[in-house]
Amino acid sequence: MRIVSVVGTRPQLIKAAALVPALRARHHDVFVDTGQHYDEAMAGAFFAELALPRPDHSLGVGGGSHAEQTARMLLALEPILVAERPDAVLVYGDTNSTLVGALAAAKLGIPVAHVEAGLRSFDRRMPEELNRVIADHLSCWLFAPTPAAVANLAAEGITSGVLQVGDLMQDLAARVAAEVRDAAALAAVASSLDLPLAPGGYAFATVHRAENREPSAMQAWAAILADAAAVRPVVLALHPGTRAALDAAGIALDPGVRVIAPQGYRTTLTLQLHAAAVLTDSGGVQREAGWLRTPCLILRDRTEWVEAVAESAGRIVVVGLDRRRAADEMARLAPADDALRLAAERAATMDLAPAGAAEAISVALSAAG
Ligand code: UD1
Ligand code: UDP
């Protein structure tokens, strides 16, 4: 089958890295990068690190308001789809690049394949929720990661073309986590970041959701991170959009919060695996913490990854921006006197298997083509 696959943001580059080898084993893949993310640390660096193919088309759209960004992407993508005449357009996840790939293709009558179909936060104030709903309703192949995602689609009347394939990101995490389980991997990261990081001796954090870039929300999660930093340093890999929002609001973080640039994939998994705990609003990071069995506080009111929370034996907790709750859960999940032992034990016993999603997606598309 001739497929145009569309990426644009950091998590989509990571998902593509998991899928592309299996996709290219059976299909002709034309790789399009919208350029929604454009910093070297948010996008460029992942091409080399994850051995991604060079894009056949780079749209270079960058940031802007939702309308501006989406409109620029639509205008740039349509002629490419017309010229490439693919049998299908494949999109990943729930970003504006996902929406555009699905919409441009559907309007041209090209079948759409959606990876990570069916996820719902049931909060339409989130831009991601709008993107997911629209992409799913325009798709012919709906590759759902979880049973809840399949059920969500069924509740919206979508049953045809739905296939539960498992979580594509787990395929990549399984391979890379095995390479970084040794404490030496953390020592190398500590040295490159020039931070004194020992297993269980720090917490790792990321924050980038649009709702967490509002001034009141930033004050609230900054307080949560400051409380965590009173016990052990918090390493915050800061998205450039969040950094800009903090600067604009004049919010300074506690000195115990060690702000670092966005990191590569391998470094990020290393930092998660050996941390005492992870604090995040990222969809990808919360699942990775779950697979690595690192305690995780989700800095959102709800999550679309309900199974990850349910299957975590209480290690993943949705705390929102509730400072009291976050402090209590940190004390429970990462006790000051035992975090080192727990972290070492986790790394030593880690046993993460691939989900097989990449192969399942590629095979399903073969059957169709
Ligand atoms: C986007 C996705 C979000 C996803 C996240 C992954 C949408 C609506 N949101 O959010 O679902 O979880 O990517 O990280 O698609 N910026 C830079 N350099 C970059 C990229 C962004 O400076 O390389 C700054 C710019 O100020 C930009 C802002 O971040 O305006 C927001 O970027 P954008 O791509 O619009 O959304 P994200 O917040 O990254
Ligand atoms: N990630 C990374 N560097 C970082 C922060 C995150 O490589 O500094 C990885 C993380 O391990 C996960 C993915 O990026 O694989 C998640 O992407 P992000 O948090 O940007 O978006 P979301 O998953 O919330 O859409």
Side-chain angles (χ1 to χ4, degrees), residues 273-333:
L273 174 61
H274 297 284
V278 167
L279 300 96
T280 192
D281 60 7
S282 158
V285 173
Q286 64 183 264
R287 276 130 72 211
E288 289 165 353
W291 297 324
L292 302 172
R293 293 182 296 131
T294 305
C296 178
L297 269 51
I298 300 179
L299 304 175
R300 286 177 45 192
D301 291 335
R302 55 185 95 197
T303 178
E304 50 285 354
W305 297 98
V306 286
E307 283 99 339
V309 175
E311 292 162 9
S312 75
R315 276 188 305 268
I316 308 182
V317 192
V318 179
V319 296
L321 298 180
D322 183 334
R323 184 174 183 179
R324 184 67 216 234
R325 176 107 201 272
D328 288 350
E329 293 293 358
M330 277 297 276
R332 179 178 72 84
L333 290 166

Side-chain angles (χ1 to χ4, degrees), residues 9-11 36-39 42 63-64 66 69 94-97 127-128 131 208-209 213 239-241:
T9 62
R10 169 170 69 189
Q36 178 175 344
H37 285 176
Y38 46 87
D39 286 354
M42 292 296 292
H66 285 272
Q69 189 181 53
D94 55 16
T95 73
N96 287 348
S97 297
E128 292 84 3
N131 294 342
H208 75 271
R209 290 280 152 204
R213 290 191 191 139
H239 186 299

Side-chain angles (χ1 to χ4, degrees), residues 6-9 32-38 57-78 80 95-97 100:
V6 180
V7 297
T9 62
V32 176
D33 178 10
T34 65
Q36 178 175 344
H37 285 176
Y38 46 87
H57 303 277
S58 295
L59 310 187
V61 298
S65 73
H66 285 272
E68 287 167 347
Q69 189 181 53
T70 307
R72 281 206 303 273
M73 284 192 231
L74 278 168
L75 285 171
L77 184 60
E78 186 183 58
I80 291 168
T95 73
N96 287 348
S97 297
V100 163

Side-chain angles (χ1 to χ4, degrees), residues 104-339:
K107 292 263 183 168
L108 291 169
I110 304 167
V112 178
H114 185 200
V115 176
E116 288 190 1
L119 296 162
R120 295 290 182 270
S121 65
F122 302 101
D123 180 357
R124 291 208 174 176
R125 288 169 305 176
M126 291 178 66
E128 292 84 3
E129 185 77 349
L130 303 177
N131 294 342
R132 289 178 196 122
V133 170
I134 295 168
D136 283 341
H137 282 264
L138 295 176
S139 291
C140 299
W141 293 275
L142 297 105
F143 296 117
T146 62
V150 174
N152 290 337
L153 291 170
E156 292 175 22
I158 305 175
T159 50
S160 170
V162 177
L163 189 64
Q164 190 187 317
V165 293
D167 195 326
L168 185 58
M169 289 186 79
Q170 189 177 331
D171 288 349
L172 191 63
R175 175 157 64 75
V176 176
E179 298 167 8
V180 301
R181 72 183 318 154
D182 201 283
L186 180 64
V189 168
S191 145
S192 76
L193 293 172
D194 199 18
L195 289 174
L197 302 176
Y202 66 96
F204 177 67
T206 76
V207 184
H208 75 271
R209 290 280 152 204
E211 64 267 29
N212 278 339
R213 290 191 191 139
E214 296 300 323
S216 61
M218 290 191 289
Q219 298 281 10
W221 62 253
I224 289 174
L225 297 194
D227 289 345
V231 180
R232 54 179 76 79
V234 174
V235 179
L236 172 63
L238 197 54
H239 186 299
T242 313
R243 188 183 284 266
L246 285 168
D247 289 348
I251 295 173
L253 297 172
D254 185 275
V257 178
R258 311 300 296 266
V259 178
I260 58 173
Q263 298 296 305
Y265 178 72
R266 185 184 161 94
T267 298
T268 306
L269 272 200
T270 309
L271 287 168
Q272 290 186 72
L273 174 61
H274 297 284
V278 167
L279 300 96
T280 192
D281 60 7
S282 158
V285 173
Q286 64 183 264
R287 276 130 72 211
E288 289 165 353
W291 297 324
L292 302 172
R293 293 182 296 131
T294 305
C296 178
L297 269 51
I298 300 179
L299 304 175
R300 286 177 45 192
D301 291 335
R302 55 185 95 197
T303 178
E304 50 285 354
W305 297 98
V306 286
E307 283 99 339
V309 175
E311 292 162 9
S312 75
R315 276 188 305 268
I316 308 182
V317 192
V318 179
V319 296
L321 298 180
D322 183 334
R323 184 174 183 179
R324 184 67 216 234
R325 176 107 201 272
D328 288 350
E329 293 293 358
M330 277 297 276
R332 179 178 72 84
L333 290 166
D337 54 355
D338 208 18

